């Protein structure tokens, strides 16, 4: 049985019932592409379990925008739904992920009808705005080696592990730089006793 109650921000009983009627929950394996750049969206994705990586590409390079975690949605998708625009980004699952899809036509209607839904939408915009501003500040004001160690530490903290399962190329994509730069920085970190390099992952020294 599909459990729509996993969408916790919905507080009103009537809203919960409407979600049951029009919503659709789908499960995806790790690494599945959910949204392509240039795609028109008719549904809003909301993560119930797992996570989604949202990124853009330019001249064969990737830049991470943000992650969508449980009980969150993607503001790029939200904007595309509301204004009938093409998606400006890609979205791919980072792990096995359950997604609740809401038809785009209900987004503005529910904003007027239900306080909890309106709060969910406004919070999504505010949180992503703060994240993107933080990312912008990191790119502009922090040296690349500082950004690398910050990323590694934040990943370790968020996933409760000292092993970051990313190749040098994948880490370069996350930070919008090149593999050569990442390899040089990580080798420096290893020499200074900050990390231990393995094939396919980086181990942070405790």
């Amino acid at each position: 049985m599909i459990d729509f109650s996993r969408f916790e921000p919905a507080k009103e009983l009537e809203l919960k019932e409407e979600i049951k009627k029009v919503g659709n929950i789908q499960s995806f394996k790790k690494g599945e592409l959910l949204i392509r750049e240039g795609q028109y969206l008719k549904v809003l994705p909301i993560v119930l379990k797992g996570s989604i990586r949202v990124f853009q590409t330019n001249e064969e390079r990737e830049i991470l925008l943000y992650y969508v975690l449980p009980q969150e949605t993607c503001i790029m998708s939200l904007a595309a739904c509301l204004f009938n625009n093409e998606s400006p980004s890609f979205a791919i699952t980072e792990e096995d992920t359950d997604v609740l899809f809401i038809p785009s036509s209900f987004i503005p209607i529910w904003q007027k009808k239900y306080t909890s839904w309106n709060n969910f939408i406004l919070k999504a915009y505010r949180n992503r705005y703060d994240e993107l501003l933080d990312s912008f500040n990191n790119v502009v004001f922090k040296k690349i080696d500082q950004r690398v160690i910050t990323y590694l530490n934040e990943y370790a903290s968020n996933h409760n592990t000292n092993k970051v399962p990313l190749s040098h190329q994948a880490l370069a994509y996350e930070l919008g730089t090149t593999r050569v730069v990442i390899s040089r920085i990580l080798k420096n970190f290893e020499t200074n006793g900050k990390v231990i390099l393995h094939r396919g992952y980086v181990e942070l020294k405790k």
Side-chain angles (χ1 to χ4, degrees):
M1 183 176 179
I2 298 177
D3 184 11
F4 287 91
S5 66
R6 286 189 289 163
F7 179 50
E8 297 171 4
K11 304 301 181 184
E12 297 89 349
L13 180 60
E14 293 83 358
L15 174 58
K16 294 178 181 179
E17 291 301 316
E18 287 205 54
I19 291 174
K20 287 182 182 179
K21 289 180 182 178
V22 304
N24 176 34
I25 296 177
Q26 296 182 38
S27 297
F28 300 89
K29 295 294 184 182
K30 177 181 178 180
E32 289 196 52
L33 184 64
L34 299 185
I35 299 170
R36 292 179 175 83
E37 184 177 334
Q39 177 181 346
Y40 283 94
L41 303 179
K42 300 300 180 184
V43 290
L44 178 69
I46 300 170
V47 173
L48 299 179
K49 184 190 78 172
S51 60
I52 296 173
R53 179 177 183 269
V54 181
F55 63 96
Q56 291 182 324
T57 61
N58 185 16
E59 296 181 353
E60 299 184 354
R61 289 176 63 179
E62 292 183 6
I63 181 66
L64 171 70
L65 297 178
Y66 50 80
Y67 288 98
V68 184
L69 302 177
Q71 310 303 323
E72 296 180 350
T73 190
C74 170
I75 60 165
M76 297 293 182
S77 300
L78 178 57
C81 284
L82 287 174
F83 300 105
N84 195 31
N85 293 332
E86 298 177 358
S87 172
S89 58
F90 293 89
I92 190 170
T93 55
E94 278 290 291
E95 55 192 306
D96 292 351
T97 302
D98 293 341
V99 181
L100 167 63
F101 292 101
I102 300 296
S104 58
S105 59
F106 288 91
I107 299 172
I109 295 174
W110 289 353
Q111 276 191 272
K112 295 177 181 178
K113 288 177 65 176
Y114 303 113
T115 300
S116 66
W117 177 261
N118 187 53
N119 289 340
F120 171 71
I121 297 299
L122 293 178
K123 185 178 178 181
Y125 271 113
R126 177 55 193 263
N127 288 348
R128 296 306 174 208
Y129 172 81
D130 290 343
E131 286 183 6
L132 291 174
L133 183 60
D134 186 54
S135 296
F136 173 79
N137 286 335
N138 283 338
V139 170
V140 173
F141 298 113
K142 280 189 177 180
K143 295 180 179 179
I144 185 62
D145 56 340
Q146 292 178 301
R147 291 170 55 205
V148 171
I149 198 64
T150 297
Y151 179 90
L152 294 174
N153 286 327
E154 287 181 352
Y155 185 100
S157 176
N158 291 337
H159 294 82
N160 194 28
T161 179
N162 68 326
K163 296 179 180 178
V164 181
L166 291 176
S167 66
H168 293 194
Q169 183 62 70
L171 188 55
Y173 284 151
E174 293 292 282
L175 297 172
T177 185
T178 65
R179 183 185 183 282
V180 172
V181 170
I182 292 296
S183 295
R184 173 177 54 78
I185 290 171
L186 290 178
K187 192 62 182 175
N188 239 359
F189 287 167
E190 186 175 48
T191 301
N192 293 328
K194 294 181 179 180
V195 304
I196 302 173
L197 301 181
H198 301 271
R199 186 175 182 83
Y201 71 95
V202 178
E203 181 180 355
L204 285 166
K205 297 193 72 173
K206 295 181 180 179

